[in-house]
Structure formats: structure tokens, C-alpha cells
Amino acid sequence: MSATEASANPQATAGGIGIANLPNQLHKIVTKKGTNFSLMVVGESGTGKTTFINTLLTTELIEPLDDATRRKKQLDKTVDINIHKAELEEKMFSVKLNVVDTPGFGDYVDNNDCWLPVVDFIENQYEQYLRQEQQPVRKGIVDMRVHACLYFIRPNGHTLKPLDVRAMKAIGARVNLIPVIAKADTLSPTALRQFKKRVMDVIDAQSIRIYQPPVESDDGNSEERNREIISAVPFAIIGSTLEVKTEDGRRVKGRQYPWGVAEVENDQHCDFRKLRSLLIRTHMLDLISTTEESHYDKYRTTQMKTRKFGEPKPKKSENKKFREEEEALRKRFTEKVKLEENRFRQWEQKLIAERDRLNKDLEQEHNLVKQLESEIEAISNAGSPNNKFFRK
Amino acid sequence: MKEGSGEEQNVAPSVYSHVSRPGSHRYKSAKKGLPFNVMLVGESGLGRTTFLNTLCERVVIPPREAGNCEQAHIAEPMQFKHYTVDMEEDGMKIVLNIIDTPGFGDGIDNENCFTRIQEYIEMQYDNVLAEENRIKRNTKFTDTRIHALLYFITPTGHSLREIDVELMRRLGSRINIIPVIGRSDSLTPRELVLFKQRVMNDISANGIPIFNFPNSDDDEDEESVEENAELRAMLPFAVVGCEEVINEEGRPVRVRKYPWGVVQVDNDEHSDFDRLRYVLLNSHIADLRDRTQNGLYELYRTEKLSGTNIIAGTAAATNPAAVAPTAAATGSPVVQPPMVPQSHPVAA
């Protein structure tokens, strides 16, 4: 039982009316209800998002794409939103987990606005929840609001790319953003330290809002641990679902190189355990509550200020790319129509010319026939007057 | 520096010579140094700078200064930076000219990077073309044609990204492209093998022309044919850059230190760096120069002077001042009047 505040009346602690038992009741309720947690992963392909999720959940929730699918994805140049659902259970406590993946983000030559589908998805979940809340019957609300978004930064060792800055700014304003350094086993410890510092400097200078876990806690150990976790941001992670043997014979989850084994659960090698702790063990409920109380509330307030009750959300202007494509298609269409019209006009003229020519021919023939007829008549008139067949 | 290659093949002496001399695959410009121009292209953070410093065994490109944090949301445009290093390899003097391209692929929209590089490459060809056509030529003319382009691929572990395919596709017919995997120490040996396979599949599936160690026509030497096949199988080269030199058993070793182990840069089991170095500065330097000067340049020259685009798919800018008038290269649709049907109903 967590330490409750000492009541003003020292006598109350002795017997008490039982308020101190509330946390236990809450515990029972929460245990029975379970909870719902949505996690989003954003980053260029090849940064280890799928592997990380599968490592975190110790199960292959997301299947890695095969080559053919990947090549096809390269061609369609869009950012998709894929949702993977799982139900985890540990010691009688169940969590309905939703993992939202964003393949295609940052993968193309032109990545303008590639964060828009991500931002739209986040806001749409708020919108859905808002709408459901406003219904007369509120039972069975489906809550897909994103509680945490992991942004995978490529370990280039220098600085954040402009794409990262723009995307993180847009995302961090709407959801709990946790920056993560992907594939950290390619940076030496010194380089990693410098890179982390540089990333945090840019985040501060650009006013990018990231998730700040609370430090204070009821017991001193947690505080120490919390401080450690906070100081490790952005988290350098290595992901692996394979078990390998280290030089000293231990079997660990890690990546085996000719020069050694990079271990996933070793704090000297990467920050995986700290991140897992943040996401699940220590701060999951905080992530959920900050989403509901802070981010969702902000959205709700702005929407309610500008919209009347029950009115649908105004649709944002369409994606620029779609507009461009639409324009191009329209132009092609009108050009094609013009071409066909031209073709038909020419054909028509040709037909008319042909008809005139034939008419002329016909007239000529007609004239010829007339001429011959008149000749015949002339001959017949000039011919024998005794001919019974011809009249005068 | 690699120890003596020990592959000096002595040429069969002519009937009159008394002594057999080493094969002359080396150029004779021992005094001046053979000019070798290489361009490095790749997104930032893939180890271009480190690679060059490791190749030249000294700091040629100083570590990049961290830019202003407040400007981090603005992409810096791609630049062309030149460095010249005098090298000596196996007794042969080389003047290594490097053109680095910091800023490639770092923006949000990188469409114009390709055109700019292509223009740069073609400008060097144009310079030579102009020089050839001079009445009085400059004997001290420096040939700036680029002999090789090292393209650094991100080690995603999956396959080529759009920007990789686009760059190699557009430039492969103008310059010798050697694909290289940067930061290859982020892939385990198995992942590396699979990645290399996938990359080469992508390259052949897209019909991308790269320098794949072709056997020259007059090259019947079995050893070279074998060597080329071996190198072809190693493509793309997995490269790791050196951070420091440590002393191991009295020998200096270039390494990258991690908490879980130490990568040896020159160890063939850890990276293909040493092999690539040998290819660039020794075994294939002549091939690369030759193919540039006698193959790619000639192709460009023919195209430019005849004003036609021989290679489908490249956006070669035809010079408006070209001699021959261009046939309508753009496919403007010509309207074909339809065939008038034979049996015509005549309208009376």
C-alpha cells in the first residue's frame, strides 16, 4: 500500500474509516478491466521498427515484409498506416495493445508532407473519441488514441535531418513523442554521446515537444531510476529477436558480429531496458493519462471552441500530391478530347469533300445521260415519221 | 599501404632484348603522378568522410562542424567540395582528386540532386570536348573527367531505396559507379550477405549500369578474368571507416571500438575496405580511367555532337549549339487522319 499522506488528525490513522483502502479497490478494478494501450512507430524503413516491436513484446507481432512487397511499396510513393493488434497477458493482467506502423515514411526522393498522414491519423483518433463521447449511448467506446509515438532517428552521427525536425515538431505537438536512436550499434560510445547531445540541442532549439516522464515518485528508488531514464533520452536501441551465445558462454538476445555480440538487454550496450521500462513497467499509465488529460484535452478544447456541438469536422484541404495528379490527369484528358475532336473534324471534312466529289461525278453522269437522252430524242424525231412508236 | 603486390608479370622480351622487364600496366608518368578523379556521393552519416580519411591514411576532410541548431530545420543545399591528395601506391605516384558532395539526399525533397551531379559530370566532359576542338591546345590542360563515383548505400538490411535506384540509374551511363555499403558494421555477416544479394538483384532488375568489373576484350588472362569475377561477387563493397589506431602485437591496427568488440578496418573478414582500396588505387585504376576516357566520354561526345539521345531513359541535356539540327526528340503526338473507309455511302 502506497504511503498515504498523514492526516491532520493523528488519531485518524489509528482506526480510520477505511479511505486508505481505496487504492486496493482501484487495483482490483483495474486488474479486472485491463487496459488499452496504443503505440505508434514512425521512421524510415530499415531503422529497425519491426524488430524493436517484436523484441519488446518478445513475440513476432509484426511480420517483416518480403522483398516483393517491399519493392512494390517503393513504387506507390505513399505513407501507409498499418495497425497491428495484440492482447498481452501477464499474471492475470491483460493489456489490449495496438501497434501502429507507418511504412513509407521518409523513404522517397520527395518526402514533402510525409508526416501528414501520421498527424492526420492521430487527430482522427481524437476526433473519433470525441464523437463517441458525445453520443447519447456511451457504452463500448472504441479508444484508439495513440498514447506514445516512437520516432526512429537514423544514426548518422551528425545531427537531426530537416525531415526529422519538421516531422517531430508536428507529431510532438499532438502526442507523447519519444525520440529513439535506431540501430545504435553502429555508433561508438563517444560518437553516441555526442549524437545524443546534439539531438537534444536541436530539440530544444527548435522547441520540439517530447514526452517528459515525471521524476517524483513515492519511493526513492523509483526516483533514481526515473532520473536515469530521463537522462538517456533519446534512447539508443538495438533490436533482436534471436538468441546468441556470447564469448563467455551466456545465452542472450543480441546481434552476433565477427568481433563480438551486441546485447539487447545490456545497459552498457544500449538503452533498450530503459525504454522498455518507460513504455511498460513504470510509465505506461502516465503515458495513458497524459494523453487523455493533456493532448486529447487540448484537441477537444480547440475543437469545441470553433465548432458547434454535433457538427462534423471540417475537411482539411486535400493532399498536395493528389491535387497535382488530379491537375495532370485533367490536362491529359482535355488534351486527348481535343485531339479526338480534331480527328473527327478532319474525318468529317474528308467525308464531305468525298461526298461533294461524288455528287459532282454523279451530276456529270446525269448530265451525260440527259445529253444522250436528248440526242436520242433528236434522232428519233428526225428519224422516220412513219414510225408508229414515236409520237410527234 | 599494402605490402608489395608481388604480381609483377614480366613481359616476354622481344627477339632482340636481353632482359625481360616488368609488365607496363603502370603508367609511365612516374614523375608527375597519375591523375585519378573520384566522386563520393551518399547521404550524410554514411561514412564518406571517414572513408576518404582512411583511404589516404590521414585527415583529408576535417570533421564536420556542427551547424546552428536553430537552422536545423532548413536543408543545406548540396555542395561540391574538392580535395587533392598525393598518394603513392606500389611505387606508382597518384594524384588523387576527390569531389565530395555533402548535402546530397539530406533535404526533404531531393529531386534536383541528381540533375546537379549529372550536370557537373557532363561539364567535365564538355571541358575536354572544347579543349579537343581548339586550334591551339593547352599542353598543360588538366583532365578533370571523373573516373569513378563511389555511391554509399544506407545499410537498411532490406534493399535499395528510391534515391539509390534513381541516382545510379540516371548516372550509370555517364560515369563508372561503384556501389558501396557505408557503415557496414551495423549488419551481421548473414544480414550482409542477404543485403548484398538483394541490392544486386535490385540493380539488375532495374537495368542499372554499374561498374561491374567487366573483362576487357583483349584480356584473355585467366587470372584477371577470375579476379574480376571475384570482385563482381563482392559487390557492393561493405566499408567501415577507421576511428583510431591501436597497437596490437607491435603492429599498428586501424580499429573501431565498441563495448562488445573491436572492428578491424583492414581485416577482410570484418570489411571489404582493403579490397576496395586495392581496386581503386592499384588493380583497376587503369580500367576505370580507360573506360571513362575511351568509353563513357566517347559515348557522351557522340551524343552531344549528333544532337541525338542514344541512351533511352537518361535526361542528357542536348546542347542547343550542337551542329546537327535535332529531330523532334520529344514525343509530341502527331495526329494521324484516319483511313477513310472504302465503301462510301454517298449522300445524294
Side-chain angles (χ1 to χ4, degrees):
Chain A
M1 194 146 62
S2 52
T4 51
E5 281 164 67
S7 64
N9 189 352
Q11 282 179 355
T13 47
I17 54 172
I19 299 177
N21 201 34
L22 273 173
N24 282 349
Q25 294 180 26
L26 191 58
H27 177 83
K28 285 211 190 93
I29 295 174
V30 172
T31 321
K32 206 170 113 176
K33 212 166 73 155
T35 187
N36 178 9
F37 188 66
S38 296
L39 177 66
M40 193 171 206
V41 284
V42 175
E44 295 173 34
S45 84
T47 43
K49 302 187 297 290
T50 309
T51 314
F52 171 73
I53 292 292
N54 294 342
T55 313
L56 183 72
L57 305 176
T58 60
T59 181
E60 192 162 293
L61 173 64
I62 309 179
E63 258 181 51
L65 286 178
D66 63 76
D67 294 344
T69 326
R70 224 176 259 288
R71 276 202 198 100
K72 231 172 55 166
K73 180 96 197 82
Q74 284 274 333
L75 298 173
D76 69 33
K77 304 201 193 189
T78 55
V79 178
D80 295 334
I81 303 278
N82 291 345
I83 304 177
H84 306 268
K85 295 194 192 223
E87 191 159 329
L88 309 175
E89 196 178 304
E90 204 177 279
K91 287 194 192 151
M92 304 283 287
F93 184 69
S94 75
V95 170
K96 283 204 183 54
L97 183 68
N98 301 308
V99 177
V100 184
D101 193 8
T102 54
F105 179 87
D107 282 341
Y108 307 114
V109 174
D110 180 1
N111 292 310
N112 266 319
D113 296 336
C114 68
W115 55 89
L116 284 187
V118 173
V119 165
D120 279 347
F121 177 81
I122 295 171
E123 291 201 329
N124 279 340
Q125 306 317 308
Y126 292 154
E127 178 64 24
Q128 298 288 351
Y129 192 81
L130 182 62
R131 281 255 202 95
Q132 288 178 83
E133 251 197 339
Q134 292 175 349
Q135 295 300 321
V137 178
R138 282 199 299 181
K139 264 211 166 151
I141 289 185
V142 169
D143 185 6
M144 280 282 302
R145 292 176 295 182
V146 178
H147 300 115
C149 178
L150 297 177
Y151 189 89
F152 284 68
I153 302 171
R154 258 197 206 288
N156 69 19
H158 295 307
T159 179
L160 278 183
K161 287 174 20 175
L163 172 64
D164 298 331
V165 172
R166 301 273 305 268
M168 290 213 285
K169 224 186 212 164
I171 297 173
R174 295 166 167 88
V175 77
N176 289 326
L177 175 67
I178 301 174
V180 157
I181 299 179
K183 297 201 172 180
D185 52 350
T186 185
L187 291 173
S188 67
T190 338
L192 184 59
R193 245 195 324 268
Q194 286 173 348
F195 187 51
K196 280 191 178 186
K197 179 164 184 314
R198 171 71 192 185
V199 167
M200 289 314 287
D201 284 344
V202 173
I203 287 179
D204 285 333
Q206 294 280 333
S207 312
I208 297 173
R209 187 170 152 190
I210 61 173
Y211 173 64
Q212 304 281 2
V215 183
E216 273 83 44
S217 170
D218 296 321
D219 68 83
N221 288 343
S222 299
E223 264 190 50
E224 183 58 39
R225 184 81 180 140
N226 287 345
R227 254 188 274 272
E228 263 180 44
I229 292 179
I230 295 172
S231 66
V233 173
F235 299 100
I237 57 174
I238 304 174
S240 173
T241 47
L242 299 170
E243 235 185 44
V244 293
K245 210 175 201 175
T246 59
E247 277 166 4
D248 43 1
R250 293 173 291 131
R251 289 201 71 86
V252 292
K253 263 201 304 220
R255 293 173 58 74
Q256 182 146 55
Y257 294 108
W259 48 86
V261 171
E263 301 168 43
V264 169
E265 306 230 9
N266 185 333
D267 278 333
Q268 304 295 322
H269 293 186
C270 72
D271 300 324
F272 175 80
R273 291 204 330 184
K274 296 198 179 97
L275 180 57
R276 181 176 59 190
S277 185
L278 180 81
L279 283 179
I280 302 181
R281 191 179 299 252
T282 49
H283 288 90
M284 183 187 264
L285 283 183
D286 185 68
L287 285 166
I288 296 177
S289 62
T290 42
T291 306
E292 292 179 1
E293 290 160 22
S294 170
H295 293 282
Y296 170 66
D297 209 64
K298 197 171 91 176
Y299 177 82
R300 189 172 172 278
T301 318
T302 22
Q303 291 301 313
M304 292 202 133
K305 276 202 189 132
T306 55
R307 271 158 61 185
K308 285 200 294 256
F309 189 84
E311 210 179 75
K313 182 170 165 191
K315 222 173 174 247
K316 268 203 288 234
S317 58
E318 284 159 36
N319 198 346
K320 184 179 90 149
K321 240 181 231 165
F322 289 151
R323 251 185 288 136
E324 279 177 6
E325 281 182 16
E326 199 184 319
E327 270 309 306
L329 278 173
R330 198 173 295 156
K331 235 193 274 170
R332 270 219 321 266
F333 181 67
T334 37
E335 271 177 21
K336 273 220 175 105
V337 168
K338 246 192 277 173
L339 280 176
E340 291 297 307
E341 280 187 5
N342 266 341
R343 207 163 65 94
F344 276 112
R345 213 172 300 134
Q346 284 183 357
W347 191 7
E348 193 186 21
Q349 281 175 358
K350 269 210 157 71
L351 281 177
I352 290 177
E354 192 66 16
R355 182 195 67 184
D356 288 342
R357 187 176 66 87
L358 289 168
N359 277 349
K360 238 207 206 131
D361 282 351
L362 186 62
E363 229 187 280
Q364 276 183 358
E365 297 294 323
H366 197 68
N367 285 344
L368 198 57
V369 168
K370 258 215 190 104
Q371 208 180 358
L372 288 173
E373 272 189 6
S374 54
E375 277 183 20
I376 292 178
E377 255 210 62
I379 293 175
S380 68
N381 281 349
S384 84
N386 298 332
N387 203 328
K388 286 189 266 202
F389 296 112
F390 292 97
R391 300 224 180 108
K392 251 223 237 262
Chain B
M1 210 90 77
K2 200 156 169 81
E3 288 150 289
S5 59
E7 278 182 38
E8 303 195 341
Q9 294 167 337
N10 288 354
V11 176
S14 83
V15 187
Y16 309 106
S17 325
H18 297 274
V19 185
S20 67
R21 301 179 194 288
S24 64
H25 65 274
R26 303 174 187 176
Y27 278 61
K28 299 182 184 73
S29 39
K31 282 211 187 118
K32 243 176 43 173
L34 182 67
F36 189 52
N37 310 326
V38 176
M39 187 181 241
L40 302 176
V41 179
E43 292 176 52
S44 79
L46 289 179
R48 280 188 337 269
T49 314
T50 318
F51 171 77
L52 182 63
N53 294 343
T54 314
L55 185 75
C56 303
E57 294 166 21
R58 63 175 198 262
V59 177
V60 178
I61 306 182
R64 193 166 118 180
E65 267 176 36
N68 195 347
C69 287
E70 270 116 43
Q71 300 295 314
H73 62 295
I74 302 175
E76 273 183 31
M78 183 177 70
Q79 298 171 302
F80 294 97
K81 290 222 164 128
H82 301 258
Y83 306 92
T84 305
V85 185
D86 287 316
M87 314 255 304
E88 186 165 325
E89 169 69 19
D90 213 2
M92 176 170 62
K93 283 206 172 66
I94 302 176
V95 177
L96 185 63
N97 295 308
I98 300 284
I99 301 114
D100 191 17
T101 54
F104 173 83
D106 286 344
I108 297 184
D109 182 355
N110 299 302
E111 185 65 43
N112 73 340
C113 289
F114 311 122
T115 355
R116 286 187 59 202
I117 298 183
Q118 183 172 356
E119 281 169 3
Y120 185 92
I121 295 172
E122 292 183 351
M123 194 163 68
Q124 314 312 315
Y125 288 153
D126 288 340
N127 288 344
V128 174
L129 191 56
E131 183 63 27
E132 276 180 0
N133 292 337
R134 278 229 181 91
I135 297 177
K136 190 154 190 269
R137 282 149 66 151
N138 177 7
T139 44
K140 289 209 165 66
F141 177 74
T142 40
D143 182 0
T144 52
R145 288 175 293 192
I146 304 177
H147 303 121
L149 187 151
L150 291 183
Y151 182 69
F152 285 72
I153 301 172
T154 320
T156 60
H158 300 311
S159 54
L160 288 182
R161 306 168 71 212
E162 193 192 5
I163 195 173
D164 303 329
V165 172
E166 278 304 296
L167 179 110
M168 292 198 283
R169 202 172 54 83
R170 294 197 204 192
L171 300 182
S173 46
R174 286 273 178 262
I175 190 173
N176 294 317
I177 296 186
I178 301 178
V180 161
I181 301 174
R183 279 195 190 277
S184 66
D185 56 349
S186 83
L187 297 170
T188 62
R190 208 179 123 257
E191 288 171 351
L192 188 58
V193 164
L194 286 175
F195 185 53
K196 282 190 179 187
Q197 264 174 24
R198 287 199 197 107
V199 167
M200 292 315 285
N201 285 345
D202 274 353
I203 287 178
S204 61
N206 281 300
I208 297 173
I210 58 166
F211 182 76
N212 59 352
F213 301 97
N215 296 314
S216 46
D217 302 318
D218 47 322
D219 204 357
E220 281 148 11
D221 182 355
E222 231 194 71
E223 253 189 67
S224 318
V225 171
E226 248 183 60
E227 193 190 2
N228 281 335
E230 205 185 305
L231 288 167
R232 215 172 294 137
M234 278 174 81
L235 280 173
F237 293 101
V239 158
V240 176
C242 159
E243 298 236 307
E244 55 184 296
V245 183
I246 62 170
N247 216 316
E248 196 167 300
E249 297 159 15
R251 287 179 55 235
V253 180
R254 296 195 289 189
V255 295
R256 277 180 79 87
K257 279 205 195 141
Y258 291 112
W260 48 86
V262 174
V263 184
Q264 293 172 349
V265 171
D266 298 289
N267 185 338
D268 275 343
E269 291 179 25
H270 291 188
S271 93
D272 301 331
F273 172 80
D274 196 57
R275 209 60 210 279
L276 177 61
R277 197 195 64 85
Y278 190 69
V279 159
L280 279 182
L281 300 180
N282 198 316
S283 61
H284 285 73
I285 185 171
D287 275 359
L288 289 164
R289 295 184 90 249
D290 185 61
R291 190 158 180 266
T292 307
Q293 286 164 345
N294 301 332
L296 300 165
Y297 168 67
E298 288 302 318
L299 188 60
Y300 175 75
R301 188 174 177 282
T302 314
E303 270 186 34
K304 181 127 184 231
L305 293 181
S306 64
T308 58
N309 201 337
I310 294 181
I311 303 166
T314 54
T318 51
N319 192 344
V323 178
T326 55
T330 58
S332 56
V334 182
V335 180
Q336 297 284 350
M339 296 298 292
V340 183
Q342 285 307 314
S343 55
H344 14 247
V346 178

